[in-house]
Amino acid sequence: MTRERILIVDDEPDMAENCQRILSRAGHRCLTVTDPREALKLLESEHPDLLLTDLKMPGVDGMELLRSARQVDPQMPVIILTAFATIESAVLAVKADAFDYLAKPFSADQLTLSVERALTQRRLALENFRLREQLQGTYGFENIVGRSPAMAQVFELV
């Protein structure tokens, strides 16, 4: 099984490095950038499994990155980090379909748990999608064999 890739975006280099260190120890491959415009390019080119982004950054904020991630991969979980946690920004993040919202400073355990939960949800969603495709391929109407007049009537009714 391949290790999941996490794109970490924070305009504070120390915070990005700390997140990378914590998540690398947990067995994840991390792509770390401090420029959110570069992160937009990486979302397109690298297709990470998870986006971990700061909320407030110069130029492009975390909410814009979340929207871009949804366009690239609707199943990609996004975790928002912020040193300026407010109820309003948390509500906006949840309404925009962020998986989680962590206020800085957070513990290594909080970060790891949130990331593991998000990646588990992603794995389950992808597995569900693949199983539905298999079921459709195996049990779709186009795979039903029958030429009798009775079967022709059944097909017409369906």
Side-chain angles (χ1 to χ4, degrees), residues 40-158:
L40 288 171
K41 294 175 191 171
L42 288 173
L43 281 171
E44 291 282 340
S45 65
E46 297 296 323
H47 296 283
D49 298 296
L50 171 75
L51 173 62
L52 184 67
T53 182
D54 190 15
L55 181 61
K56 292 190 178 188
M57 296 178 287
V60 177
D61 68 0
M63 294 302 288
E64 189 172 336
L65 284 174
L66 186 149
R67 286 187 288 277
S68 295
R70 288 285 167 264
Q71 290 175 347
V72 171
D73 179 357
Q75 300 297 328
M76 182 189 310
V78 178
I79 298 173
I80 302 285
L81 310 174
T82 185
F84 306 98
T86 64
I87 292 172
E88 292 81 20
S89 65
V91 168
L92 285 174
V94 169
K95 281 185 177 180
D97 202 25
F99 179 82
D100 206 350
Y101 179 93
L102 297 176
K104 296 177 187 177
F106 47 82
S107 70
D109 288 341
Q110 285 175 305
L111 177 63
T112 304
L113 180 63
S114 181
V115 165
E116 293 301 332
R117 286 179 41 239
L119 290 172
T120 297
Q121 178 181 327
R122 178 179 174 79
R123 279 185 230 113
L124 290 172
L126 292 174
E127 180 181 7
N128 186 312
F129 178 76
R130 283 192 286 273
L131 289 172
R132 285 180 187 272
E133 280 186 332
Q134 286 176 349
L135 280 173
Q136 183 61 34
T138 303
Y139 297 108
F141 291 119
E142 64 278 357
N143 292 325
I144 297 176
V145 179
R147 305 266 185 256
S148 72
M151 284 304 293
Q153 286 180 329
V154 169
F155 288 145
E156 195 167 311
L157 284 173
V158 173

